[in-house]
Amino acid sequence: MLRILLTGLALCVPLAAHAQDHLPNLFDVTVVETWDKLNVREAPDGNAKIIGRLASTAKGVELLERDASGKWGRVNVGEASGWVALRFLKPQATVWKPAELPLSLRCSGTEPFWSVKTVQKGLVFSEPGEPERQLSLRKVMDRGIEGEPVRGIIAGDDNGRLTAFVRPEQCSDGMSDRHYALAVAVILDGQEQPSRMLTGCCTIAP
């Protein structure tokens, strides 16, 4: 916070967050020798158990959260989630462009199982035993904050409409040890189907 003193009054003015401060975002492994790998640890501690490793050339690593010290970040490796030293990660350009969705965005949920992913021309919605629905994007909304992942989405096809709200929130799929940094609520409605609400988690990992 920037504190400004005016005529004896203390005013607190919030400093604008840089786009790269928002998570999740994508990072590349850096300053790791080509013959070496970056350790992923069970906890944000250099002595914690190693649960996985990232290649020195790994790109598009999804950073989910930072620890309180700001020196460690949570990532997924395989079906597990762990911590890496942030000095070995460098940010890519933010994937969160104004009024757009990352092409790598994928959301899913369980009980019932469902998934939705972004494609060049819109969204693809899937559920077991049903044909995929190719949905045209009608509107993507954000709050006008640079790099912030909050998104409102309206898409549809001849059978109805999908409305979704994606927000930064630590999320679990309930089936693995992976962590997610985005939660989503989806509403499906239309003349040819009963209205339904679905919830789940999202990732931007390529």
Side-chain angles (χ1 to χ4, degrees), residues 62-90:
E62 184 180 18
L63 185 63
L64 306 172
E65 64 175 313
R66 300 178 180 89
D67 78 330
S69 74
K71 297 180 179 179
W72 293 85
R74 185 190 289 275
V75 301
N76 287 320
V77 54
E79 291 301 309
S81 176
W83 298 84
V84 297
L86 288 177
R87 67 181 182 275
F88 297 113
L89 293 181
K90 64 177 180 180

Side-chain angles (χ1 to χ4, degrees), residues 1-6 9-15:
M1 302 288 284
L2 178 62
R3 187 173 295 275
I4 302 175
L5 298 179
L6 292 176
L9 297 177
L11 301 179
C12 290
V13 180
L15 293 176

Side-chain angles (χ1 to χ4, degrees), residues 127-148:
E127 3 181 33
E130 299 291 338
E132 287 187 341
R133 293 177 61 185
Q134 307 285 330
L135 306 175
S136 298
L137 269 179
R138 297 173 181 170
K139 188 75 172 179
V140 178
M141 295 160 280
D142 61 54
R143 301 197 303 167
I145 300 173
E146 183 184 4
E148 186 189 53

Side-chain angles (χ1 to χ4, degrees), residues 88-102:
F88 297 113
L89 293 181
K90 64 177 180 180
Q92 294 185 357
T94 181
V95 300
W96 302 103
K97 307 299 183 184
E100 293 183 12
L101 297 177

Side-chain angles (χ1 to χ4, degrees), residues 164-205:
F165 177 54
V166 177
R167 64 195 185 279
E169 182 179 304
Q170 295 303 307
C171 188
S172 171
D173 59 15
M175 297 186 64
S176 72
D177 291 328
R178 294 172 62 87
H179 283 242
Y180 298 85
L182 294 170
V184 63
V186 173
I187 295 175
L188 297 168
D189 62 357
Q191 294 182 347
E192 303 299 324
Q193 61 179 344
S195 297
R196 293 183 290 157
M197 176 181 284
L198 304 170
T199 58
C201 306
C202 303
T203 177
I204 56 169

